[in-house]
Amino acid sequence: VATNLALSFAEKGFIIHQVYSRNIKNAKALGRKINAPFTDIISEIDKAANLYIISIADNAASDIVSQLDAGNSLVVHTSGSLDINKLNKFPNHGVFYPLQTFSKNKPVALNDIPILIEANTDKNTEILKQFAAFFTSKVHVMSSEQRRDTHLAAVFANNFTNHMYNIAERILKRSDISFDLLIPLINETARKVNDEIPCHVQTGPAVRIDKEIINKHLIMLADLPDYKKIYKQMTNSINKESKLIKI
Amino acid sequence: VATNLALSFAEKGFIIHQVYSRNIKNAKALGRKINAPFTDIISEIDKAANLYIISIADNAASDIVSQLDAGNSLVVHTSGSLDINKLNKFPNHGVFYPLQTFSKNKPVALNDIPILIEANTDKNTEILKQFAAFFTSKVHVMSSEQRRDTHLAAVFANNFTNHMYNIAERILKRSDISFDLLIPLINETARKVNDEIPCHVQTGPAVRIDKEIINKHLIMLADLPDYKKIYKQMTNSINKESKLIKI
């Protein structure tokens, strides 16, 4: 997230005063990418910035918060699951959460990505909304609770979906079939829910209650017990829900 | 599948002699769409066709096969999971399986969709390959076993993925958040695996073994026990696999 945000900020002409990381290698790598000074010593963090962005694993945030001296400047974190009140120490604080999946090596443009904003005062909310609007048209003000639900939903829609792709890849591998074969199907599956809610476009043996195919599939998964369990549970869940919809 | 194929065939200028369905309403609806005669009486099926396409639920196929008189014409089914030998009765037979998710009301073009071919003779394989090549550049000859594995993989990559989207939608709903918010993330999740295999782009609390967030999420799912179980199982499976990769 840090790398992606820094690159997007620099691209829009914002000046990044300094990069801090507990790991000097990471600080250096990002500092060089955006031509900014870098440090791994928290007391050396520049005190003249307008905005401090804490982009770090949730469980490491408390440490940074307790040590950071940001004066009256605005301090934000970029986490989906961390409550805004973790930043209560700072008189001006907020949250700037881009709802997207990032990889360090493949920067993703922020265009059209929702950015979820929260702040401790109306003025700070306004500042963050205006800042976010430089990058995307999709700026949403949300409470910590809503953001937490959004993050949980994103774990299903992104992390677990990717694991489904992974299981598919492994099943194909044992028959020496290339994963590329599934790409048009994967793309269409995603495209469909751009227009319709998922329960309206559910297909497959589970929603049809096609026991013959389901049993065949379970036998085929006998040597992959974890995937077999996942298959059963997903099938039951789809099945249950499609019945609820019909009622 | 029947509707989608019929529309694609008609579009390319192939003449569809007749539409048969056990349900006259379905026969009529499709017949009218493509300007073809239709019937629900199996003995009335035209005997002069070059190609008979059986596109039906697997468990209904045997019935049709036993009743259909196709002479020496080529007969194919369009199922991912049905063995080719179910058509042994016909001297010329094969499989024409388009690997895509179809909905009756939203026809999908076959362009770029893989079509998996199998036939009982080299000559029939060649006929089906040439026929499939009218619709897509991705024609693959595959055994029934390979096609069955591909179909199982597709259940994970399509049906179960869509259910993940569905769960995400339901979690958002309880906080009155629009599902649209997740669309850029869903699109990017699919796009990523166009370039890299899924296990290389897995992100999230499960692969990071971020117990703090995982426990928070499980608490948030207390009132959705089915989703909680799915969350646990997916997290364990991702976790296990990421360890296997590291070793």
Side-chain angles (χ1 to χ4, degrees):
Chain A
V1 180
T3 302
N4 259 276
L5 289 183
L7 288 170
S8 297
F9 296 167
E11 201 189 48
K12 291 282 177 189
F14 289 96
I15 293 162
I16 297 166
H17 284 280
Q18 197 181 29
V19 174
Y20 164 83
S21 170
R22 292 164 299 173
N23 177 328
I24 189 69
K25 269 193 190 169
N26 293 341
K28 191 174 174 179
L30 180 51
R32 290 207 165 163
K33 265 187 197 161
I34 53 170
N35 264 321
F38 54 88
T39 181
D40 65 344
I41 300 165
I42 201 157
S43 60
E44 278 184 4
I45 289 179
D46 191 329
K47 285 173 186 60
N50 296 112
L51 178 65
Y52 292 82
I53 298 171
I54 301 173
S55 195
I56 197 168
D58 283 12
N59 54 20
S62 301
D63 237 35
I64 301 291
V65 168
S66 69
Q67 292 176 66
L68 177 66
D69 177 7
N72 286 322
S73 298
L74 182 54
V75 180
V76 298
H77 73 64
T78 63
S79 161
S81 44
L82 208 62
D83 207 279
I84 189 175
N85 66 26
K86 293 273 174 191
L87 302 179
N88 274 347
K89 165 189 159 181
F90 306 105
N92 294 295
H93 63 270
V95 180
F96 185 94
Y97 172 54
L99 182 59
Q100 187 52 286
T101 169
F102 297 112
S103 335
K104 234 183 218 175
N105 303 322
K106 286 216 173 176
V108 180
L110 293 181
N111 316 349
D112 292 324
I113 289 174
I115 295 180
L116 313 188
I117 295 297
E118 187 179 8
N120 69 323
T121 66
D122 289 350
K123 196 186 149 205
N124 289 332
T125 304
E126 206 43 51
I127 290 170
L128 289 177
K129 273 171 77 173
Q130 285 179 21
F131 181 53
F134 277 97
F135 309 105
T136 178
S137 58
K138 295 179 181 162
V139 183
H140 299 266
V141 177
M142 268 198 194
S143 69
S144 287
E145 201 192 337
Q146 284 180 310
R147 190 175 61 255
R148 205 157 47 224
D149 275 340
T150 305
H151 181 250
L152 175 58
V155 167
F156 282 90
N158 166 245
N159 305 158
F160 294 171
T161 287
N162 189 71
H163 191 52
M164 288 301 176
Y165 300 159
N166 176 53
I167 295 173
E169 195 257 345
R170 270 145 215 265
I171 291 167
L172 291 181
K173 213 176 198 172
R174 69 174 183 181
S175 276
D176 277 322
I177 302 164
S178 162
F179 178 66
D180 285 348
L181 202 68
L182 286 181
I183 294 298
L185 181 66
I186 285 171
N187 290 342
E188 174 65 11
T189 305
R191 197 209 53 75
K192 267 189 177 177
V193 296
N194 281 238
D195 304 326
E196 299 214 48
I197 60 167
C199 68
H200 288 171
V201 294
Q202 185 67 52
T203 57
V207 75
R208 288 197 314 266
I209 320 182
D210 189 330
K211 283 184 188 165
E212 207 176 306
I213 295 191
I214 292 167
N215 287 331
K216 237 191 237 179
H217 284 165
L218 291 173
I219 292 166
M220 289 166 71
L221 290 169
D223 56 335
L224 296 166
D226 287 349
Y227 298 164
K228 187 177 168 181
K229 268 189 215 156
I230 290 172
Y231 185 101
K232 265 191 186 170
Q233 202 159 48
M234 293 300 288
T235 295
N236 287 336
S237 181
I238 291 170
N239 198 236
K240 202 166 164 182
E241 226 136 298
S242 66
K243 278 182 202 151
L244 291 176
I245 293 164
K246 274 176 205 153
I247 285 164
Chain B
V1 180
T3 303
N4 259 275
L5 289 183
L7 289 170
S8 298
F9 296 168
E11 201 188 47
K12 291 283 176 186
F14 290 97
I15 294 164
I16 297 166
H17 285 280
Q18 197 181 29
V19 174
Y20 164 82
S21 170
R22 292 164 296 174
N23 178 327
I24 190 68
K25 268 193 191 168
N26 292 341
K28 190 174 176 178
L30 179 52
R32 292 208 164 161
K33 264 186 196 161
I34 54 170
N35 263 320
F38 54 88
T39 180
D40 64 344
I41 301 167
I42 201 156
S43 61
E44 279 183 3
I45 290 180
D46 192 328
K47 283 171 186 63
N50 296 113
L51 178 64
Y52 292 82
I53 299 171
I54 301 174
S55 195
I56 196 167
D58 283 11
N59 54 19
S62 301
D63 237 34
I64 301 291
V65 168
S66 68
Q67 293 176 66
L68 178 66
D69 177 7
N72 284 321
S73 298
L74 182 53
V75 180
V76 299
H77 73 63
T78 63
S79 161
S81 45
L82 208 63
D83 206 279
I84 188 175
N85 65 27
K86 292 273 174 193
L87 302 181
N88 274 347
K89 164 189 160 181
F90 306 105
N92 294 294
H93 63 269
V95 180
F96 184 95
Y97 172 52
L99 182 59
Q100 187 52 285
T101 170
F102 297 113
S103 335
K104 234 182 221 177
N105 304 323
K106 285 216 175 177
V108 181
L110 291 181
N111 317 347
D112 293 326
I113 289 174
I115 295 181
L116 312 188
I117 294 297
E118 188 178 8
N120 69 323
T121 66
D122 288 350
K123 197 186 148 204
N124 288 332
T125 304
E126 206 42 52
I127 291 170
L128 289 177
K129 273 171 77 174
Q130 284 179 22
F131 181 54
F134 277 96
F135 309 104
T136 178
S137 58
K138 294 179 181 160
V139 183
H140 300 266
V141 178
M142 268 198 194
S143 69
S144 286
E145 202 192 336
Q146 283 179 311
R147 189 176 61 255
R148 205 159 45 226
D149 275 340
T150 305
H151 181 250
L152 175 58
V155 166
F156 281 91
N158 166 246
N159 305 158
F160 294 172
T161 287
N162 189 71
H163 191 52
M164 288 301 177
Y165 301 158
N166 176 52
I167 295 173
E169 195 256 347
R170 269 143 216 265
I171 290 167
L172 290 181
K173 213 175 199 174
R174 69 173 184 184
S175 275
D176 278 321
I177 302 164
S178 162
F179 178 66
D180 285 347
L181 201 68
L182 286 181
I183 294 298
L185 180 67
I186 284 171
N187 290 342
E188 173 65 10
T189 305
R191 198 208 53 75
K192 267 189 177 177
V193 296
N194 281 238
D195 303 327
E196 300 214 47
I197 60 168
C199 68
H200 288 170
V201 293
Q202 185 67 53
T203 56
V207 74
R208 289 197 315 265
I209 320 182
D210 190 330
K211 284 184 187 164
E212 206 175 307
I213 295 191
I214 292 167
N215 287 332
K216 235 191 238 179
H217 283 166
L218 291 173
I219 292 166
M220 288 166 71
L221 290 169
D223 56 335
L224 297 166
D226 287 348
Y227 298 165
K228 187 176 169 182
K229 269 189 213 157
I230 289 172
Y231 185 101
K232 265 191 185 169
Q233 201 159 48
M234 294 300 289
T235 295
N236 286 336
S237 181
I238 291 171
N239 199 237
K240 203 165 164 182
E241 227 137 298
S242 66
K243 276 182 201 152
L244 292 175
I245 292 163
K246 274 176 204 153
I247 285 165

